[in-house]
Amino acid sequence: MSKVHVLDHPLIQHKLSIMRNKETGAKEFRELLEEISMLMVYEVTRDLPTEEVEVETPICKTRTRMLSGKKIAIVPILRAGLGMVDGVTKLIPAARIGHIGLYRDPITLQPVEYYCKLPDDSENRELIVLDPMLATGGSASAAISFIKQRNCKSIRLVNLIAAPEGIKRIQHDHPDVDIFVAALDEKLNEHGYIVPGLGDAGDRLFGTK
Ligand code: PRP
Ligand code: URA
């Protein structure tokens, strides 16, 4: 069963509260999403393997540790996942970036795919899927299914806010995928929006409403 990690560091909680405020404009919303994504990825990657290497400091030779194991690819779900990319790549600059374009049909709430381009060697990488909102879980579940079709085995999902319905959906469809969230909210409303949530993440990020 997927583990759910709630990354509720005080800095993350503070920044997320400003994002939730409906008076916060697109510029500040974008900056905060980038900052929180950077703080989150620090914890998301806590268990990455390291290996001992030799380094010569200005003083002497020493043995110290560096990342080893699989390289990383991040996969934002368009559009809103794009807002998390810069924060993550600030800490993992060598990460490859795949893109999956999905939008949620406003009536059926079913994900509709319009784009998918993943790095060629995705199956040899640790995949980190990014999307600020996990509502019904339909979009994230579909994105993870596309990724699995490419034989990728090691996948983590990172969301800013999740509803219990979305968590259940991922745990059911993809029990091998761990989920990292900044906040676990109460429920979905009748339109499939997270309550209390922050509204439509894509629209707030890109100022389209
Ligand atoms: C939002 C959000 C997720 C999805 C979550 O995207 O960014 O991808 O909804 O809902 P779900 O868990 O019920 O699938 P949206 O469809 O609004 O597209 P956008 O990012 O292009 O605005
Ligand atoms: N997508 C969003 O952007 N916000 C929600 O609350 C639910 C889905």
Side-chain angles (χ1 to χ4, degrees):
M1 163 83 86
S2 347
K3 281 199 209 115
V4 181
H5 305 260
V6 182
L7 308 180
D8 54 359
H9 186 287
L11 286 174
I12 294 180
Q13 289 187 50
H14 180 86
K15 289 172 190 294
L16 180 54
S17 297
I18 303 172
M19 289 184 76
R20 287 184 190 273
N21 187 335
K22 66 177 186 184
E23 302 301 334
T24 299
K27 176 177 180 289
E28 200 180 357
F29 191 92
R30 268 197 299 273
E31 290 166 353
L32 289 162
L33 181 56
E34 179 180 334
E35 290 167 12
I36 295 178
S37 304
M38 184 161 57
L39 293 168
M40 289 184 80
V41 81
Y42 176 76
E43 277 303 325
V44 170
T45 52
R46 179 168 283 284
D47 66 346
L48 290 185
T50 58
E51 65 188 356
E52 206 175 70
V53 294
E54 187 177 271
V55 170
E56 189 165 358
T57 76
I59 310 299
C60 66
K61 283 190 179 164
T62 185
R63 295 200 71 78
T64 178
R65 302 197 73 80
M66 291 183 78
L67 289 173
S68 63
K70 286 185 177 176
K71 296 207 163 74
I72 293 175
I74 60 176
V75 183
I77 302 179
L78 308 181
R79 288 176 302 170
L82 288 175
M84 301 176 79
V85 169
D86 287 353
V88 174
T89 53
K90 280 215 165 96
L91 290 195
I92 316 175
R96 294 285 161 86
I97 307 174
H99 294 87
I100 295 185
L102 290 171
Y103 70 87
R104 195 174 69 154
D105 183 281
I107 308 295
T108 65
L109 302 184
Q110 292 308 304
V112 182
E113 185 208 349
Y114 59 89
Y115 189 76
C116 181
K117 178 85 182 166
L118 299 175
D120 278 349
D121 58 351
S122 292
E123 68 278 11
N124 299 322
R125 290 179 178 264
E126 273 306 323
L127 274 277
I128 303 179
V129 179
L130 304 173
D131 194 332
M133 309 306 275
L134 184 68
T136 64
S139 304
S141 179
I144 293 168
S145 296
F146 289 135
I147 292 169
K148 284 184 172 172
Q149 283 167 16
R150 299 282 298 269
N151 265 335
C152 302
K153 302 222 162 33
S154 186
I155 304 169
R156 302 159 199 230
L157 173 64
V158 184
N159 307 112
L160 197 59
I161 301 180
E165 293 86 340
I167 297 279
K168 275 200 203 101
R169 173 79 186 263
I170 299 299
Q171 287 181 325
H172 176 268
D173 295 355
H174 302 289
D176 53 318
V177 174
D178 280 358
I179 309 166
F180 296 79
V181 301
L184 210 43
D185 273 11
E186 196 187 320
K187 59 179 182 184
L188 296 179
N189 69 13
E190 64 278 21
H191 305 293
Y193 277 89
I194 300 176
V195 180
L198 49 68
D200 188 305
D203 283 338
R204 293 198 61 191
L205 190 60
F206 296 109
T208 41
K209 227 176 224 170

